[in-house]
Amino acid sequence: MKPKRLPQRLMQMRPKRYCMKDPAAAITDEIIRREIIPGSRVIDLGCGDGRLLQLLRDEMNCVVQGVELDEEGFLESMRREIPVIKGDLDEGLQYLPDNSFDFAVLSQTLQQLRYPVELLEQILRVANRVLVVVPNFAYWKIRLQVLMFGRAPVTEELPYEWHNTPNLHLMSMQDFRELEKEREFRIVKELPIIGEKSVPRAMWANVRARTVLYILEKKDSQKSSS
């Protein structure tokens, strides 16, 4: 499915960035780095200021590419000498050839897209594996705010008010697991981020994790990767 372009009046209203500020960016970057093989081809969709790609290029000898919509982030990536495309992910990835990357990264990006699942499937045409970092809407602090105050929650991971948030879709860990059953990708690894570290197979992860890293691949690639 090819995403449709938003009407101009709505384009002017929507937030002009995909790389949402992550209060634990250094921690998240390190967790992502550990999951990428040195020397890999990596594309960061919603790369922001290019800090992660710079780390992967300089410390892991990766071949990197960024895509960013926000003008400030785009220019900062260029200042870091990161190859970056100024592009709108909601318009698709038709300009990227099949199997052109080993890894694709969407860190704090997926929940801001109008068609997140359709874009995930497009990314799996472009990259062998996708690393997705998303806020966990079932995190205990979010549950407590809803229960105690009956209002849309505001936390470090979801720092916006309901009326100005760039987040269009919010999900829990359980929601993402259910999505896997319906679509053409599988979860290779699920890493709840609790405190300052990722904790595989953590007890009560859907309550304790503030964000989650998922590593995804196509279901039909399971045999070839095993």
Side-chain angles (χ1 to χ4, degrees):
M1 174 180 176
K2 180 180 178 180
K4 298 178 181 178
R5 183 184 291 271
L6 282 173
Q8 186 61 35
R9 62 183 179 82
L10 294 181
M11 288 291 291
Q12 293 171 353
M13 294 170 58
R14 64 191 287 230
K16 292 292 186 179
R17 64 181 304 164
Y18 281 128
C19 188
M20 191 176 73
K21 184 177 180 181
D22 185 350
I27 296 168
T28 304
D29 288 355
E30 176 59 24
I31 293 170
I32 292 172
R33 187 192 67 80
R34 291 200 300 263
E35 300 299 326
I36 291 178
I37 300 169
S40 298
R41 301 165 299 164
V42 182
I43 185 168
D44 189 346
L45 300 163
C47 65
D49 61 9
R51 68 180 190 281
L52 174 62
L53 292 178
Q54 183 180 32
L55 182 153
L56 295 175
R57 180 193 63 193
D58 296 349
E59 298 186 15
M60 298 182 62
N61 198 33
C62 290
V63 177
V64 300
Q65 174 68 58
V67 178
E68 180 54 52
L69 178 63
D70 175 60
E71 182 72 18
E72 182 180 344
F74 173 77
L75 293 175
E76 182 59 31
S77 291
M78 292 188 67
R79 282 191 284 269
R80 294 176 189 261
E81 299 184 347
I82 299 295
V84 59
I85 299 168
K86 192 171 191 295
D88 188 338
L89 299 180
D90 278 326
E91 296 181 3
L93 302 174
Q94 296 85 353
Y95 51 89
L96 295 174
D98 293 359
N99 303 312
S100 48
F101 295 94
D102 302 304
F103 294 93
V105 176
L106 289 97
S107 184
Q108 299 288 359
T109 300
L110 186 68
Q111 74 275 7
Q112 299 185 47
L113 301 174
R114 288 183 297 133
Y115 303 107
V117 179
E118 290 78 7
L119 189 79
L120 268 182
E121 293 175 345
Q122 286 192 48
I123 296 168
L124 284 165
R125 171 187 64 79
V126 172
N128 298 328
R129 285 194 170 185
V130 184
L131 283 68
V132 180
V133 179
V134 289
N136 175 29
F137 197 66
Y139 181 42
W140 71 268
K141 287 187 178 180
I142 294 174
R143 297 183 189 221
L144 185 61
Q145 285 194 36
V146 174
L147 178 64
M148 296 295 293
F149 305 110
R151 297 182 57 188
V154 177
T155 67
E156 288 185 353
E157 288 68 43
L158 300 172
Y160 299 93
E161 299 286 348
W162 67 269
H163 54 83
N164 65 0
T165 178
N167 296 312
L168 302 180
H169 307 282
L170 297 172
M171 71 212 82
S172 70
M173 293 176 65
Q174 190 58 41
D175 289 325
F176 210 91
R177 293 168 191 159
E178 290 296 322
L179 182 65
E180 178 195 29
K181 299 175 184 177
E182 303 169 7
R183 309 303 291 219
E184 294 304 311
F185 66 82
R186 70 185 187 99
I187 299 173
V188 178
K189 191 180 291 188
E190 178 185 79
L191 294 173
I193 299 175
I194 300 173
E196 297 187 356
K197 60 183 179 180
S198 59
V199 186
R201 298 181 294 278
M203 185 177 296
W204 299 101
N206 198 37
V207 175
R208 298 170 59 204
R210 56 178 184 80
T211 55
V212 191
L213 168 63
Y214 294 99
I215 302 178
L216 313 177
E217 68 180 19
K218 287 183 181 179
K219 285 182 177 175
D220 60 9
S221 68
Q222 183 170 2
K223 291 183 180 180
S224 59
S225 63
S226 58

